[in-house]
Short mmCIF file of all heavy atoms in Angstrom, two decimals:
data_model
loop_
_atom_site.label_atom_id
_atom_site.label_comp_id
_atom_site.label_asym_id
_atom_site.label_seq_id
_atom_site.Cartn_x
_atom_site.Cartn_y
_atom_site.Cartn_z
N TYR D 8 185.55 119.82 140.69
CA TYR D 8 184.78 119.67 139.45
C TYR D 8 184.54 118.19 139.20
O TYR D 8 185.45 117.38 139.23
CB TYR D 8 185.55 120.27 138.27
CG TYR D 8 184.83 120.12 136.96
CD1 TYR D 8 183.81 121.00 136.61
CD2 TYR D 8 185.15 119.09 136.08
CE1 TYR D 8 183.13 120.86 135.42
CE2 TYR D 8 184.48 118.94 134.88
CZ TYR D 8 183.47 119.83 134.56
OH TYR D 8 182.80 119.70 133.37
N TYR D 19 160.04 113.73 123.51
CA TYR D 19 159.01 113.09 124.31
C TYR D 19 157.73 113.00 123.50
O TYR D 19 157.51 113.75 122.56
CB TYR D 19 158.76 113.87 125.61
CG TYR D 19 158.02 115.18 125.41
CD1 TYR D 19 156.63 115.25 125.55
CD2 TYR D 19 158.71 116.34 125.07
CE1 TYR D 19 155.96 116.44 125.35
CE2 TYR D 19 158.03 117.54 124.88
CZ TYR D 19 156.66 117.58 125.02
OH TYR D 19 156.00 118.76 124.82
N THR D 27 137.79 113.81 125.46
CA THR D 27 137.44 112.55 124.81
C THR D 27 138.32 111.41 125.28
O THR D 27 137.97 110.24 125.10
CB THR D 27 137.58 112.69 123.28
OG1 THR D 27 138.94 113.02 122.96
CG2 THR D 27 136.66 113.78 122.75
N ALA D 32 143.95 105.48 129.61
CA ALA D 32 145.19 105.60 130.35
C ALA D 32 146.12 106.57 129.62
O ALA D 32 146.30 106.48 128.41
CB ALA D 32 145.86 104.24 130.48
N ALA D 61 171.94 139.62 122.22
CA ALA D 61 170.58 139.76 121.67
C ALA D 61 170.57 139.72 120.14
O ALA D 61 169.86 140.46 119.49
CB ALA D 61 169.95 141.07 122.16
N ARG D 77 154.88 127.26 121.24
CA ARG D 77 153.55 127.07 120.66
C ARG D 77 153.23 125.59 120.44
O ARG D 77 152.12 125.13 120.71
CB ARG D 77 153.44 127.82 119.34
CG ARG D 77 152.04 127.74 118.69
CD ARG D 77 152.04 128.44 117.35
NE ARG D 77 152.34 129.84 117.48
CZ ARG D 77 151.41 130.79 117.70
NH1 ARG D 77 150.14 130.45 117.83
NH2 ARG D 77 151.75 132.05 117.81
N ASN D 88 170.93 119.54 127.04
CA ASN D 88 170.24 119.82 128.28
C ASN D 88 170.52 118.72 129.29
O ASN D 88 171.10 117.69 128.95
CB ASN D 88 168.73 119.95 128.04
CG ASN D 88 168.10 118.65 127.56
OD1 ASN D 88 168.04 117.66 128.28
ND2 ASN D 88 167.62 118.63 126.32
N THR D 92 164.34 116.03 137.82
CA THR D 92 163.06 115.82 138.49
C THR D 92 162.92 116.87 139.59
O THR D 92 163.85 117.07 140.38
CB THR D 92 162.96 114.41 139.11
OG1 THR D 92 164.01 114.22 140.05
CG2 THR D 92 163.05 113.34 138.03
N ARG D 108 168.04 126.96 148.67
CA ARG D 108 169.32 126.33 148.37
C ARG D 108 170.46 126.99 149.13
O ARG D 108 170.50 128.21 149.30
CB ARG D 108 169.60 126.37 146.86
CG ARG D 108 168.78 125.37 146.08
CD ARG D 108 168.92 125.54 144.59
NE ARG D 108 170.28 125.34 144.10
CZ ARG D 108 170.80 124.16 143.79
NH1 ARG D 108 170.07 123.06 143.91
NH2 ARG D 108 172.03 124.07 143.33
N LEU D 112 176.46 126.09 147.60
CA LEU D 112 176.34 125.39 146.32
C LEU D 112 176.92 126.22 145.19
O LEU D 112 176.90 127.45 145.22
CB LEU D 112 174.87 125.07 146.04
CG LEU D 112 174.21 124.09 147.01
CD1 LEU D 112 172.74 123.92 146.68
CD2 LEU D 112 174.91 122.74 146.97
N ILE D 120 163.55 126.63 145.55
CA ILE D 120 163.22 125.55 144.62
C ILE D 120 162.24 124.61 145.34
O ILE D 120 161.95 124.80 146.53
CB ILE D 120 164.48 124.80 144.15
CG1 ILE D 120 164.20 123.94 142.91
CG2 ILE D 120 165.10 123.98 145.28
CD1 ILE D 120 165.45 123.44 142.21
N PRO D 144 160.09 103.20 136.39
CA PRO D 144 160.86 103.93 135.39
C PRO D 144 161.89 104.85 136.05
O PRO D 144 161.73 105.28 137.19
CB PRO D 144 159.79 104.73 134.65
CG PRO D 144 158.52 103.98 134.87
CD PRO D 144 158.64 103.40 136.25
N ARG D 148 162.57 106.49 140.00
CA ARG D 148 163.69 106.08 140.85
C ARG D 148 164.51 107.30 141.28
O ARG D 148 165.00 107.38 142.41
CB ARG D 148 164.58 105.07 140.11
CG ARG D 148 163.88 103.75 139.81
CD ARG D 148 164.88 102.64 139.49
NE ARG D 148 165.63 102.87 138.27
CZ ARG D 148 165.25 102.45 137.06
NH1 ARG D 148 164.10 101.81 136.91
NH2 ARG D 148 165.99 102.68 135.99
N LYS D 170 152.22 106.74 145.05
CA LYS D 170 152.13 108.12 145.55
C LYS D 170 153.16 109.04 144.88
O LYS D 170 153.29 110.20 145.27
CB LYS D 170 152.33 108.14 147.07
CG LYS D 170 151.25 107.39 147.85
CD LYS D 170 149.89 108.05 147.73
CE LYS D 170 148.82 107.30 148.52
NZ LYS D 170 148.84 107.59 149.95
N HIS D 184 166.96 123.34 130.97
CA HIS D 184 166.68 122.17 131.79
C HIS D 184 165.22 121.77 131.59
O HIS D 184 164.32 122.50 132.00
CB HIS D 184 166.90 122.48 133.27
CG HIS D 184 168.33 122.45 133.70
ND1 HIS D 184 169.21 121.49 133.28
CD2 HIS D 184 169.04 123.25 134.53
CE1 HIS D 184 170.40 121.70 133.82
NE2 HIS D 184 170.31 122.77 134.58
N ILE D 228 150.68 131.83 150.13
CA ILE D 228 151.19 131.18 148.92
C ILE D 228 151.42 132.22 147.82
O ILE D 228 152.42 132.16 147.10
CB ILE D 228 150.21 130.08 148.46
CG1 ILE D 228 150.26 128.90 149.42
CG2 ILE D 228 150.54 129.62 147.04
CD1 ILE D 228 149.24 127.83 149.15
N LEU D 231 154.56 133.96 148.53
CA LEU D 231 155.70 133.07 148.27
C LEU D 231 156.00 133.01 146.78
O LEU D 231 157.16 133.10 146.35
CB LEU D 231 155.39 131.68 148.82
CG LEU D 231 156.42 130.59 148.55
CD1 LEU D 231 157.75 130.93 149.17
CD2 LEU D 231 155.91 129.24 149.06
N LEU D 232 154.96 132.86 145.96
CA LEU D 232 155.17 132.75 144.51
C LEU D 232 155.67 134.06 143.90
O LEU D 232 156.28 134.05 142.83
CB LEU D 232 153.87 132.33 143.83
CG LEU D 232 153.43 130.88 144.08
CD1 LEU D 232 152.05 130.64 143.50
CD2 LEU D 232 154.44 129.90 143.48
N PRO D 239 163.01 128.75 138.12
CA PRO D 239 161.78 128.51 137.35
C PRO D 239 161.20 127.11 137.47
O PRO D 239 159.99 126.96 137.60
CB PRO D 239 162.22 128.82 135.92
CG PRO D 239 163.27 129.86 136.08
CD PRO D 239 164.02 129.45 137.31
N SER D 244 156.86 123.60 139.45
CA SER D 244 156.41 122.43 140.18
C SER D 244 155.38 122.81 141.24
O SER D 244 154.35 122.14 141.40
CB SER D 244 157.60 121.73 140.84
OG SER D 244 157.19 120.59 141.56
N GLU D 250 147.70 123.71 141.37
CA GLU D 250 146.62 123.64 140.39
C GLU D 250 145.94 122.27 140.44
O GLU D 250 144.70 122.17 140.42
CB GLU D 250 147.20 123.89 138.99
CG GLU D 250 146.19 123.82 137.87
CD GLU D 250 146.86 123.96 136.51
OE1 GLU D 250 147.71 123.12 136.18
OE2 GLU D 250 146.54 124.92 135.79
N ASP D 261 135.41 119.53 148.17
CA ASP D 261 136.13 119.49 149.44
C ASP D 261 137.07 120.68 149.54
O ASP D 261 137.28 121.42 148.57
CB ASP D 261 136.95 118.20 149.57
CG ASP D 261 136.11 117.02 150.01
OD1 ASP D 261 135.08 117.25 150.67
OD2 ASP D 261 136.48 115.88 149.68
N THR D 272 146.72 109.73 153.01
CA THR D 272 146.30 108.63 153.89
C THR D 272 145.54 107.52 153.19
O THR D 272 145.50 106.39 153.69
CB THR D 272 145.42 109.17 155.04
OG1 THR D 272 144.27 109.84 154.46
CG2 THR D 272 146.20 110.15 155.89
N PRO D 274 144.68 104.88 149.97
CA PRO D 274 145.39 104.20 148.87
C PRO D 274 144.96 104.78 147.53
O PRO D 274 143.80 105.12 147.32
CB PRO D 274 144.97 102.74 149.02
CG PRO D 274 143.67 102.78 149.76
CD PRO D 274 143.74 103.96 150.67
#
Side-chain angles (χ1 to χ4, degrees):
Y8 179 81
Y19 73 95
T27 60
R77 183 183 298 272
N88 65 66
T92 59
R108 285 173 62 86
L112 295 176
I120 196 166
R148 295 198 295 269
K170 296 294 180 80
H184 280 318
I228 289 174
L231 176 61
L232 289 173
S244 180
E250 179 185 61
D261 279 334
T272 58

